[in-house]
Amino acid sequence: MTAGAEGQKASGTDPQALPDSAERLRVARIGKPHGIRGEVTAQLFTDEPEARLAPGAVLIRIPGDETSDRTTTLLTVTRQRWNKSVCLLDFREVTDRNGAEALRGSTLYVEAPWQEDPEEEGWYSHELVGFTCLDTAGLQLGTLKELITGAAQDLLVITSVSGEEVMVPFVEEIVPEVDVENRRILLDPPAGLF
């Protein structure tokens, strides 16, 4: 299971912040306002938007570099809908276009669910960061920097042993194995990719 997430730890004395032991999963980034009643577009980082961004979901908002409202807050989703292929969100705390514009560029997180069954298959993308990437002969190709969740397919961003960033489609033919226990990703890349 990839949730298109990125681990974050809460800190500080903000009463709305999660405890230091809680882990956050990145689910979306707030885009431009849509209309005049506070609705916003959202760039998704999750493969489960209907569940993670459903009405009633409480999201942790971390301001981006260009966000005018620089405070970390909680936002409660009141409505999620689609305009063609664009996800639109309404929040209880945002009632007009100015409020929506002030949040532009913020990243939205959810508290990471605790995985009860260690045998359960799957992972969150942030858990793969730092994994060693090997070819089928066992030669090290690099280290996973990031997993980018896309609409058509996911991409692995790998820092190669030479220091270059290489984007690899996360498909079974090229990535036949993810060994979570040993923190390794086996790759069978086409010639010339690395």
Side-chain angles (χ1 to χ4, degrees):
M1 165 201 316
T2 60
E6 168 180 298
Q8 288 280 328
K9 297 288 184 182
S11 61
T13 58
D14 182 353
Q16 289 188 324
L18 291 173
D20 286 339
S21 62
E23 195 169 313
R24 298 175 181 177
L25 300 176
R26 178 178 66 165
V27 292
R29 180 174 296 123
I30 296 176
K32 63 184 179 180
H34 184 83
I36 61 170
R37 294 196 171 97
E39 193 173 41
V40 298
T41 61
Q43 175 189 7
L44 301 179
F45 299 118
T46 177
D47 57 358
E48 301 174 329
E50 290 78 15
R52 298 198 185 279
L53 301 172
V58 177
L59 307 172
I60 303 149
R61 183 189 70 84
I62 307 293
D65 292 338
E66 305 298 319
T67 307
S68 62
D69 182 346
R70 304 294 300 160
T71 57
T72 298
T73 57
L74 296 179
L75 296 174
T76 305
V77 177
T78 55
R79 183 170 73 149
Q80 177 202 56
R81 67 184 184 94
W82 294 86
N83 182 8
K84 298 181 183 169
S85 63
V86 178
C87 179
L88 300 172
L89 299 173
D90 277 317
F91 302 108
R92 180 181 307 142
E93 300 79 5
V94 183
T95 58
D96 60 26
R97 187 175 183 90
N98 291 339
E101 183 63 45
L103 303 181
R104 191 178 202 167
S106 295
T107 304
L108 301 173
Y109 296 86
V110 294
E111 182 178 354
W114 181 59
Q115 199 170 6
E116 291 184 26
D117 183 1
E119 298 300 314
E120 183 180 321
E121 287 205 24
W123 58 82
Y124 292 105
S125 61
H126 74 278
E127 295 173 327
L128 302 179
V129 173
F131 276 33
T132 301
C133 299
L134 306 169
D135 69 9
T136 54
L139 294 171
Q140 185 171 346
L141 297 173
T143 305
L144 184 68
K145 177 182 178 186
E146 180 181 11
L147 186 148
I148 300 173
T149 304
Q153 72 181 28
D154 298 343
L155 291 171
L156 299 175
V157 180
I158 298 169
T159 304
S160 70
V161 291
S162 65
E164 296 176 52
E165 278 192 7
V166 179
M167 292 190 157
V168 177
F170 196 1
V171 294
E172 192 170 353
E173 296 79 27
I174 300 174
V175 187
E177 181 182 351
V178 176
D179 182 352
V180 176
E181 186 176 324
N182 294 306
R183 298 184 49 82
R184 292 187 305 209
I185 299 173
L186 182 65
L187 301 173
D188 189 8
L193 187 60
F194 280 87

